[in-house]
Each structure stands twice: as structure tokens, then as C-alpha cells.
Amino acid sequence: MENTEIKQLVQSFASCQTVLIALGDETRIHILMEMLKIAATKKRCEGMQVGEIAKISSLSRPAISHHIKILKEAGIIQCHHLGTKNYYFLDPDDTKLQDVIRTLNQALAISQKEKKEHEHP
């Protein structure tokens, strides 16, 4: 295995770290799943307010706001403002998620290559 492949993989994981951390929490996954459900039922997704998310979870508004902040900082969701109301929705530019998928595929390819090298000396 080439050392440059591993260095590149380490850099890829480092650049995806914020998204991986955001996705590593069960509550945030639940929030994303609820957003996907809402988006699937509407022709145009207006997003969800913190209060709506709190109703479908057992968390307080401050706890939901904390998780929303992490998802926003990771680039997974966005917010649009309508008057004094904030609506959160999945970021239609899925670049951050595509980067994670690309990195995981890169890790899988290296792992499979390493496995083949050990099978046939």
C-alpha cells in the first residue's frame, strides 16, 4: 500500500470530521430523518421550526437548538428566516455529505486492496 494513499485518506477524514461528528449522534440523526420525512411529503420543503422538532422528540427547545447548531456548522442543514421565525431544512447542496461518502469509499478501496495483497503473496 502506498503511503501517499494513507496520507490522502487521513486528510480526507480530517476534512470530513465535523460532518462525521454531527452524524455520530442519535438525536441529530433523528432530527435529520424527521426533516427528510417532512420534505418527502411536501412539493416544496419550507423547513421545520425548533418547536416542531421538539414536538416529535423528547428534547427541550434549548437541546434542539444545540443539535441544530451542530448540524448547521457541519453544513448539513440550513436556515431561512420568515419574519421572526427560523425554518431549518436539509442543505440542498449535499457537497459535505458527498465528501463523507467519497472518503468512506476511498477507505473501503484501500482496505480491499490491502486484503487482496494479503490473500495472494
Side-chain angles (χ1 to χ4, degrees):
M1 175 183 344
E2 292 183 35
N3 198 21
T4 56
E5 282 181 307
I6 296 300
K7 284 181 182 179
Q8 184 180 17
L9 182 61
V10 168
Q11 289 174 346
S12 294
F13 271 116
S15 69
C16 294
Q17 186 174 4
T18 305
V19 176
L20 290 168
I21 289 169
L23 295 175
D25 182 88
E26 185 178 340
T27 299
R28 291 190 283 274
I29 293 293
H30 177 68
I31 291 169
L32 291 174
M33 292 297 104
E34 291 303 323
M35 287 182 167
L36 284 169
K37 286 179 195 174
I38 295 295
T41 62
K42 298 181 180 181
K43 289 182 181 176
R44 184 175 155 270
C45 182
E46 296 87 21
M48 297 178 76
Q49 292 181 274
V50 170
E52 292 175 285
I53 298 168
K55 286 179 187 176
I56 58 173
S57 73
S58 59
L59 297 175
S60 66
R61 286 172 162 255
I64 295 292
S65 294
H66 168 74
H67 289 293
I68 291 290
K69 179 182 179 212
I70 292 169
L71 291 167
K72 275 181 61 181
E73 289 173 352
I76 299 171
I77 64 171
Q78 287 187 353
C79 177
H80 72 87
H81 310 284
L82 190 58
T84 59
K85 297 178 181 179
N86 294 328
Y87 293 88
Y88 300 96
F89 59 96
L90 294 171
D91 190 341
D93 176 13
D94 60 1
T95 304
K96 297 285 187 178
L97 294 176
Q98 290 295 336
D99 289 346
V100 170
I101 292 168
R102 205 171 6 266
T103 299
L104 293 173
N105 280 330
Q106 182 182 5
L108 183 60
I110 290 170
S111 174
Q112 289 172 341
K113 181 179 172 183
E114 187 72 17
K115 184 178 176 181
K116 283 183 182 179
E117 288 176 5
H118 286 291
E119 288 176 354
H120 304 289

